Amino acid sequence: MGDQAVPADYKQFFEKKVNIMLKLQRRLGSAYEAATDAELVERIASAKDSLADRLVVLGHHYQRDEVIQFADKTGDSLALSRYAAQQHNAEYVVFCGVEFMAEAADILTASHQKVILPDLGAGCSMADMADIDAVELAWKEISQLTDIDNVIPVTYINSSAALKNFVGRHNGAVCTSSNAAAIIKWALSGTKDQDSLPDIVEVAKKTKKKVLFFPDQHLARNTAYRLGFNVEDEVVYDPEIELGGLDQESAERSTFILWKGHCSVHQRFNVAQIENFRNRYDNAVIMAHPECSHEVVEKADIVGSTDAIIKAVNAAKPGTHIGIATEVHLVNRLADTHQDLYIECLDPVMCPCATMNRIDLPHLAWVMDGLLEDTVYNQIIVDEIIKEGAKLALDRMLSIA
Ligand code: SF4
């Protein structure tokens, strides 16, 4: 991949992350690094057989195919964590995804279950854009500008356990890309009974509640617009600037305070790519993940989470040309499994999510071999104090949507 194809924030992220990875993720040695794919596949399959129901392997949709082939369950982050929590016999949960997902699995699983991330370098650049110190500072700053009792913090599941704990302690909730609208309606209205709610924009005017949403500004903006809010109702909090760049007027006026974060993968999609695809095909259908910018989402025919995109592709008429704005491994897998459709990733030079991509055959074989000898490498353990508040925030989400 040429230098031009690497976004600037990826570079910054990796410069910061490389040092951490060197400290945390040990070299695997030549037994794994020099092994052929065929040898590694055989090793992993054999370890899986031996461990039987003591082990469950989870694979996020964005993982590579050679890893996905070993997953007992594929899905998005929440679906996988919920699945893990139901596998009471499984002593070991090998999570082929990124760190915040393994943390969520550790929070939701029982104490006898050990959650393992095959490569500790598999973080998430979006989750890293809102660290707990910056969020604590933001909370203090916002409390200088508006009545903080009216501010409900909501964090996207793509965030650290520390943030989920913060949200839990401040009467907020976690959300996913599937249930963000329901969680925002709950935050602004204070009611879980969504069916009885009149227009949420009117409700928010009466309650004067606000949502502080992190780390992804795009998911929040796209969801708010879908609910009927507009640009006047939002302000972006930039953690690099004093007071986040807010003043009393903007903080008081806004219903949404959006953390200045984004996904490095989904921000690569743009309107020109959509127009190009539509120009090429008469029956084009555009599907976009809500982590894409609002301009992209506005031009899409179908907007939804990875699961929603998969369902929409499954329901498409044969012969349809589908352009998808989400991570390329998922798009390529959909194209391979739906030979009666024409499926393309909208970004022709799309690179995969680089951190998801760190989970590979050598790392998977290494952790599985360890388990055969009762050695647990790379266990993800969330501190009990953090776990308590984070679980509160996750349980609150599950009770709402
Ligand atoms: S696709 Fe984006 S949000 Fe998902 S793990 Fe990668 S960087 Fe994070």
Side-chain angles (χ1 to χ4, degrees):
M1 184 169 59
D3 207 37
Q4 263 186 324
V6 182
D9 57 355
Y10 257 155
K11 282 186 182 165
Q12 284 164 12
F13 171 62
F14 283 115
E15 277 163 16
K16 194 174 142 196
K17 207 77 181 166
V18 158
N19 291 329
I20 299 167
M21 287 192 296
L22 286 176
K23 274 189 224 134
L24 293 176
Q25 181 55 56
R26 54 182 276 188
R27 288 289 302 269
L28 305 185
S30 59
Y32 297 96
E33 288 167 358
T36 65
D37 282 2
E39 287 164 347
L40 293 166
V41 164
E42 201 180 316
R43 256 171 126 142
I44 298 167
S46 158
K48 249 197 114 192
D49 276 352
S50 301
L51 290 160
D53 59 3
R54 289 176 68 206
L55 166 78
V56 64
V57 179
L58 307 178
H60 189 273
H61 290 310
Y62 294 168
Q63 289 288 302
R64 323 152 170 244
D65 285 350
E66 60 262 41
V67 168
I68 282 290
Q69 67 178 313
F70 292 108
D72 297 301
K73 169 87 178 160
T74 57
D76 61 19
S77 54
L78 182 65
L80 293 176
S81 297
R82 280 171 144 169
Y83 179 81
Q86 290 159 3
Q87 311 307 303
H88 304 294
N89 290 335
E91 192 181 336
Y92 305 122
V93 176
V94 172
F95 208 127
C96 300
V98 294
E99 189 183 11
F100 74 80
M101 299 175 186
E103 285 185 337
D106 185 52
I107 292 164
L108 293 174
T109 48
S111 57
H112 70 278
Q113 296 178 291
K114 295 180 174 64
V115 178
I116 294 152
L117 184 65
D119 185 331
L120 294 176
C124 163
S125 56
M126 178 204 281
D128 286 358
M129 286 177 191
D131 68 59
I132 186 60
D133 293 340
V135 167
E136 297 269 13
L137 175 63
W139 191 252
K140 274 194 200 138
E141 289 186 335
I142 293 167
S143 69
Q144 293 166 25
L145 302 173
T146 188
D147 181 358
I148 203 72
D149 289 341
N150 275 337
V151 180
I152 309 296
V154 174
T155 188
Y156 190 17
I157 197 162
N158 299 24
S159 58
S160 69
L163 245 69
K164 294 184 177 85
N165 174 46
F166 174 91
V167 160
R169 286 190 290 110
H170 289 90
N171 303 315
V174 176
C175 77
T176 68
S177 50
S178 311
N179 63 24
I183 302 299
I184 284 173
K185 280 161 90 174
W186 162 79
L188 296 177
S189 68
T191 176
K192 292 178 186 176
D193 183 7
Q194 311 259 315
D195 292 341
S196 67
L197 273 183
D199 179 8
I200 191 65
V201 178
E202 291 305 314
V203 171
K205 277 185 198 153
K206 283 190 191 129
T207 63
K208 300 198 184 317
K209 295 275 185 206
K210 299 176 187 299
V211 168
L212 168 60
F213 192 103
F214 31 64
D216 184 23
Q217 59 176 305
H218 299 297
L219 173 63
R221 180 176 295 117
N222 289 325
T223 308
Y225 286 6
R226 202 181 107 205
L227 290 172
F229 294 92
N230 61 45
V231 67
E232 290 299 308
D233 299 312
E234 67 170 56
V235 66
V236 174
Y237 181 96
D238 182 347
E240 303 290 326
I241 303 176
E242 197 182 354
L243 293 175
L246 275 58
D247 55 23
Q248 196 162 6
E249 187 279 324
S250 57
E252 288 283 355
R253 164 179 49 81
S254 306
T255 304
F256 294 90
I257 301 173
L258 311 181
W259 193 265
K260 194 178 177 197
H262 61 266
C263 167
S264 308
V265 174
H266 289 95
Q267 76 156 9
R268 290 179 59 85
F269 297 103
N270 57 51
V271 170
Q273 293 161 348
I274 295 178
E275 285 169 352
N276 180 288
F277 193 82
R278 288 203 195 279
N279 285 340
R280 283 192 287 141
Y281 305 113
D282 288 343
N283 65 347
V285 173
I286 305 294
M287 302 185 184
H289 193 282
E291 287 172 21
C292 295
S293 71
H294 185 60
E295 294 71 34
V296 166
V297 161
E298 259 195 327
K299 296 271 179 196
D301 302 300
I302 293 168
V303 179
S305 63
T306 46
D307 276 344
I309 288 173
I310 291 168
K311 279 187 192 135
V313 168
N314 291 343
K317 279 192 199 148
T320 310
H321 287 84
I322 304 175
I324 305 184
T326 196
E327 207 270 351
V328 72
H329 280 120
L330 173 60
V331 179
N332 289 344
R333 195 170 305 122
L334 287 168
D336 287 347
T337 50
H338 291 273
Q339 298 283 328
D340 57 337
L341 301 170
Y342 301 93
I343 298 177
E344 284 179 29
C345 183
L346 279 173
D347 180 355
V349 290
M350 178 91 183
C351 48
C353 172
T355 46
M356 284 273 185
N357 216 28
R358 291 193 66 85
I359 309 295
D360 55 12
L361 289 176
H363 288 84
L364 188 54
W366 173 64
V367 294
M368 302 276 264
D369 282 351
L371 295 180
L372 284 178
E373 295 169 0
D374 287 323
T375 302
V376 180
Y377 296 121
N378 291 5
Q379 185 180 355
I380 299 299
I381 305 174
V382 177
D383 181 277
E384 283 303 319
I385 295 175
I386 288 180
K387 205 180 247 187
E388 200 179 307
K391 182 150 186 344
L392 199 66
L394 281 163
D395 286 345
R396 209 170 270 143
M397 169 183 78
L398 296 175
S399 74
I400 298 162

